[in-house]
Amino acid sequence: MNYGQFLNMIPEAFLVLALIVVFFADFALAKTKVKGCTLACLTIGSLAVVTAVCLTAQPSVAFGGMYVAPKAALVMKAILTAGTLIVVLMAQPWVESSATTVKNEGEFYLLVLSTLLGMFIMTSSGNFLLFFLGLETASVPMACLVAFDKFKKNSAEGAAKYILTATFSSGVMLYGLSFIYGSVGTLYFDDVAQRISYFAQYKSQLPMLIAGLVFFFSGLGFKLSLVPFHFWTADTYEGAPTPVTGYLSVVSKGAAAYALMFILMRAFAPLVEYWEYMLYIVIVLSITVANLFAIRQSELKRFMAFSSISQAGYIMLAVIGSSQMGMAALMYYVMVYVVANMAVFTVISAVEQHNNGTTQMSSYDGLYQTNPKLAFLMTLALFSLAGIPPFAGMFSKFFVFMAAAEQGSFWAYFVVFIALINTVVSLYYYLLIVKAMYIKQTDTPLPTFRTERTTQIALAVCTLGIALFGICSCLYDYLFNVSISVM
């Protein structure tokens, strides 16, 4: 094997280097007072460098097509790394406040970087085997992050449900991959597509291929928390530390969404007439069921769990089109979703730190009276998630609707219509939080407090993104142009 091909994996190489540096720094500074600050600075600096590397790297292929990094994948990696950077910034007050996390802060940074490395591998896979390895590399450290507050009952319960569901979904996916390999005799995406096209002419092997496709989609549906693969989501989001919940809801979901669309377009394009109807059903169920359950929630992290399920359904609208516009819409939606959702979770984390760890929605009653800046930034983020103009969330929803409608069939229009109706429902339950902050009165509102500097930076970055991403049309044009690389 030519080991020089590893030089084509520049973003992954920089991320592995960052892992090594943080690991040895954690070991060398174990008994010093500057350990926490040093590790945080190293992690944040490394993520900033990796983001720049992803944006400047050239498209590449390695190991006979097993590793494929078109320009779109590199841009998606940059978006995921930027989201991870925001997570690390917002996590600083939590890391420094708990005796458990202070002792293990090095492990926290290493697990975050390891999970991101797995997502990088997922997005650059040209082979089902490498994709599965990337998926597991991302999932196993994520389970450790969910259980990071190991002495809290909810954290242990959420981690147990995540691990059990992840194990089962991985088994289902492997079962589906065995069907695919048994039918076509290869695991390379492009070769799978060619052989499926050949078999489709003679109606040969199609039942086994369709069964493999369904099992594969079921396994990846867990990662995206699509209905009916969503049952773990609310308990895991509630039990995990709030920064980890944000990481799980945004960065992990973005990587899985891109990987799913890439694989459907590259490997299963000849079976589009089968999987598009599967997507229609899952999208309608995910958006509708999640919205109905979100209305009933009183705990804010469970509320955001069902919100994330609904948002996953909207992201899948971009997959329906299976076009350049669809890929651009998906990346744009993930980019906007990163800043809007992370703004919400940053506020939740800040309030949680100054409210004895409580994340009940009632804690936000009268928040505008005592902490008007936090309430205002929370409102902007919620409006963006709801798709209210002129914020970036409105444009992201518009683009995924257009990508789905481009498909042109009656059922595509019907799914877009259902999604539009559900947008009104989502606006209602997002406004419940706004109502609590601005209208509801309480005798014991949350006292005025000052947020930490890293929290302020994270909120400033997210708010800037919410305000500017919808105005700067050049961003979508850029994403549209790079999306041609995966067609």
Side-chain angles (χ1 to χ4, degrees), residues 236-252:
T236 298
Y237 279 35
E238 181 183 9
T242 301
V244 176
T245 304
Y247 189 41
L248 187 61
S249 70
V250 175
V251 183
S252 176

Side-chain angles (χ1 to χ4, degrees), residues 154-168:
N154 287 344
S155 185
E157 179 185 355
K161 291 182 178 180
Y162 180 86
I163 292 171
L164 290 173
T165 312
T167 303
F168 180 75

Side-chain angles (χ1 to χ4, degrees), residues 32-103:
T32 63
K33 295 182 180 180
V34 297
K35 173 186 172 183
C37 180
T38 304
L39 291 178
C41 290
L42 283 173
T43 306
I44 292 170
S46 299
L47 290 171
V49 170
V50 172
T51 304
V53 167
C54 291
L55 291 174
T56 56
Q58 295 299 315
S60 60
V61 178
F63 304 108
M66 181 172 282
Y67 174 89
V68 180
K71 190 61 179 178
L74 295 172
V75 173
M76 192 68 202
K77 290 177 186 178
I79 295 172
L80 298 177
T81 308
T84 306
L85 178 58
I86 297 173
V87 170
V88 173
L89 285 170
M90 68 168 282
Q92 293 309 303
W94 165 71
V95 170
E96 296 170 0
S97 65
S98 171
T100 302
T101 52
V102 165
K103 292 179 182 179

Side-chain angles (χ1 to χ4, degrees), residues 217-335:
F217 181 82
S218 300
L220 201 52
F222 153 79
K223 196 72 176 177
L224 284 160
S225 60
L226 296 168
V227 176
F229 316 107
H230 69 291
F231 293 102
W232 60 277
T233 311
D235 292 326
T236 298
Y237 279 35
E238 181 183 9
T242 301
V244 176
T245 304
Y247 189 41
L248 187 61
S249 70
V250 175
V251 183
S252 176
K253 201 177 297 294
Y258 174 88
L260 175 61
M261 184 169 187
F262 183 79
I263 293 172
L264 289 178
M265 291 170 60
R266 293 293 287 268
F268 295 116
L271 297 178
V272 62
E273 60 183 302
Y274 298 98
W275 56 256
E276 67 179 1
Y277 291 104
M278 182 170 58
L279 278 178
Y280 295 153
I281 296 171
V282 169
I283 289 170
V284 171
L285 287 176
S286 297
I287 296 176
T288 306
V289 172
N291 283 346
L292 294 177
F293 275 85
I295 296 173
R296 300 172 55 88
Q297 303 306 312
S298 59
E299 205 277 338
L300 201 51
K301 287 166 72 175
R302 294 183 70 88
F303 171 90
M304 291 305 297
F306 288 104
S307 167
S308 74
I309 296 171
S310 175
Q311 297 291 344
Y314 284 109
I315 293 174
M316 287 297 100
L317 284 171
V319 182
I320 292 177
S322 301
S323 61
Q324 184 181 358
M325 180 185 289
M327 180 59 75
L330 185 145
M331 291 195 291
Y332 185 82
Y333 198 104
V334 172
M335 182 175 66

